[in-house]
Amino acid sequence: MGERTGNDHRSLIKQVLDDGAGPARSALAASWRRSMTLYGLDPESRGQVVTLTEGQLRAAREAMEPVTQAAQGVLDRLFLAVGDAGCCVLLCDASGVPVERRGMASDDDTFHRWGLWPGAVWSEAVEGTNGIGTALAEKRAVTIHRDQHFHARNIGLSCSSHPIYDHLGRLAGALDVSSCRADQTEAMLGLITAAVADAARAIEAQAFRKAFSEARIVLAGDVAERNTAALLAVDRDDLVVGATRAARLALAITDERIAAQLAASEVLGGGSIEADLLEAERGAVRRALALNNGNVSAAARGLGVSRATLHRKLHRLGSDRRRPLIATVANLRQVCSAP
């Protein structure tokens, strides 16, 4: 689309919305329609940027703190990649309010005038179609380029945004890279969009690892090949205690399933519960034998069973393996008796 202002921009939006086919069904047109009919916004509005008070911004930052802490390094790296192209980086909460920002000091005055600053409200309900607000409304990555914005006052901006989900799979906010340079090309926008997507997934993964720091973090099998943010948190009993949104969607994991003590093998294809129990018992017997240098009587005492019971377990557990456990006992004895 070519750049338009004032009445031209309003006419463009009205024309698209009045057209009942093709473009009117696009995600962009759907956002324009929400902006005009649901939120009652005027494309020609020249109102001031809505900004939170210092107290409101402080509260928003506190609520966003777990994600913000996890995002620091990612934000720095993303800004190093896009800062020289005249872009700023914004981490926003679920209300579309930037709580963290990276930008060149030389561009600060310009971005502040545009409202690309901590405390400004970029929800779709306030600013109409825009990268941050529309990504949150659609719950997917979007790029809003210049006169694709709903408000005529924002048509000088190009914004690439990606939603971010917290460790419980809930929408936490959005990551945005915005530019107000007129020479921003479609090719450059494509590169920025890809970088924002990678950074958003990295923030989600880092926040998830921090939230479940005492659990084992597992890539969700084949899903991980397509989405590196598909992670599971597994406890010492191999029960799933957490899952990222990507893993929840791919593996049909819900809070209810996690609360019901979901076995990791059930979603990762690791075998039946019976097989898991058998493998756990086999591991316990092997550890007991190793700790007692292959002495069956001592291992039995350590396990709290009789020597005869342990012998039966050795034969039973070994029958499912190519290398029976009874051979392990013999090997341990041989090693311990060697000079």
Side-chain angles (χ1 to χ4, degrees), residues 220-276:
D222 295 338
V223 181
E225 296 180 6
R226 304 186 301 274
N227 190 338
T228 55
L231 304 175
L232 300 178
V234 180
D235 68 10
R236 65 182 62 187
D237 297 318
D238 279 338
L239 297 177
V240 175
V241 293
T244 61
R245 182 174 185 268
R248 288 167 180 261
L249 291 176
L251 302 173
I253 296 174
T254 62
D255 289 340
E256 291 73 21
R257 291 186 72 190
I258 293 175
Q261 297 191 317
L262 175 64
S265 60
E266 186 176 339
V267 291
L268 294 177
S272 65
I273 294 176
E274 290 79 5
D276 289 343

Side-chain angles (χ1 to χ4, degrees), residues 129-163:
T129 304
N130 71 88
I132 297 167
T134 302
L136 291 169
E138 294 277 343
K139 294 183 174 60
R140 64 180 182 86
V142 300
T143 294
I144 304 298
H145 183 46
R146 300 184 70 78
D147 60 0
Q148 292 177 336
H149 285 81
F150 181 79
H151 277 144
R153 66 172 182 262
N154 293 328
I155 62 176
L157 298 175
S158 294
C159 310
S160 296
S161 306
H162 198 291

Side-chain angles (χ1 to χ4, degrees), residues 37-333:
T37 61
L38 181 60
Y39 308 129
L41 302 177
D42 181 357
E44 296 181 46
S45 172
R46 295 288 176 178
Q48 297 295 314
V49 175
V50 177
T51 306
L52 301 185
T53 65
E54 289 186 8
Q56 290 171 329
L57 177 57
R58 185 165 53 250
R61 279 176 161 157
E62 290 175 356
M64 191 72 172
E65 189 171 1
V67 175
T68 303
Q69 288 182 348
Q72 294 302 311
V74 180
L75 295 177
D76 291 340
R77 291 190 294 273
L78 180 59
F79 178 63
L80 284 175
V82 303
D84 288 339
C87 299
C88 71
V89 176
L90 300 169
L91 179 65
C92 309
D93 68 9
S95 299
V97 175
V99 296
E100 191 82 6
R101 179 182 177 275
R102 300 288 189 276
M104 292 285 192
S106 57
D107 296 328
D108 281 356
D109 288 342
T110 300
F111 283 125
H112 193 272
R113 286 197 303 272
W114 282 99
L116 296 170
W117 205 259
V121 180
W122 283 93
S123 68
E124 204 177 61
V126 171
E127 285 295 336
T129 304
N130 71 88
I132 297 167
T134 302
L136 291 169
E138 294 277 343
K139 294 183 174 60
R140 64 180 182 86
V142 300
T143 294
I144 304 298
H145 183 46
R146 300 184 70 78
D147 60 0
Q148 292 177 336
H149 285 81
F150 181 79
H151 277 144
R153 66 172 182 262
N154 293 328
I155 62 176
L157 298 175
S158 294
C159 310
S160 296
S161 306
H162 198 291
I164 292 175
Y165 293 85
D166 67 12
H167 65 288
L168 298 176
R170 301 172 304 196
L171 184 65
L175 179 64
D176 173 78
V177 169
S178 288
S179 170
C180 54
R181 288 177 53 164
D183 61 352
Q184 194 74 268
T185 65
E186 294 287 345
M188 186 63 182
L189 277 176
L191 293 174
I192 290 173
T193 298
V196 172
D198 288 342
R201 285 191 287 266
I203 291 171
E204 287 185 10
Q206 184 67 10
F208 186 77
R209 292 177 187 277
K210 283 181 175 290
F212 295 101
S213 58
E214 297 183 359
R216 187 171 82 255
I217 305 300
V218 180
L219 287 171
D222 295 338
V223 181
E225 296 180 6
R226 304 186 301 274
N227 190 338
T228 55
L231 304 175
L232 300 178
V234 180
D235 68 10
R236 65 182 62 187
D237 297 318
D238 279 338
L239 297 177
V240 175
V241 293
T244 61
R245 182 174 185 268
R248 288 167 180 261
L249 291 176
L251 302 173
I253 296 174
T254 62
D255 289 340
E256 291 73 21
R257 291 186 72 190
I258 293 175
Q261 297 191 317
L262 175 64
S265 60
E266 186 176 339
V267 291
L268 294 177
S272 65
I273 294 176
E274 290 79 5
D276 289 343
L277 290 174
L278 193 65
E279 189 59 36
E281 188 177 9
R282 182 179 287 111
V285 169
R286 281 179 167 167
R287 286 192 294 273
L289 289 169
L291 288 172
N292 291 281
N293 299 323
N295 187 306
V296 177
S297 297
R301 287 194 296 272
L303 291 170
V305 299
S306 69
R307 189 173 188 277
T309 297
L310 181 53
H311 266 294
R312 287 195 297 271
K313 286 182 179 293
L314 287 171
H315 284 284
R316 178 173 60 84
L317 295 173
S319 66
D320 294 330
R321 311 286 287 188
R322 292 182 180 178
R323 185 183 180 196
L325 281 176
I326 199 69
T328 302
V329 177
N331 289 340
L332 281 169
R333 286 174 173 166

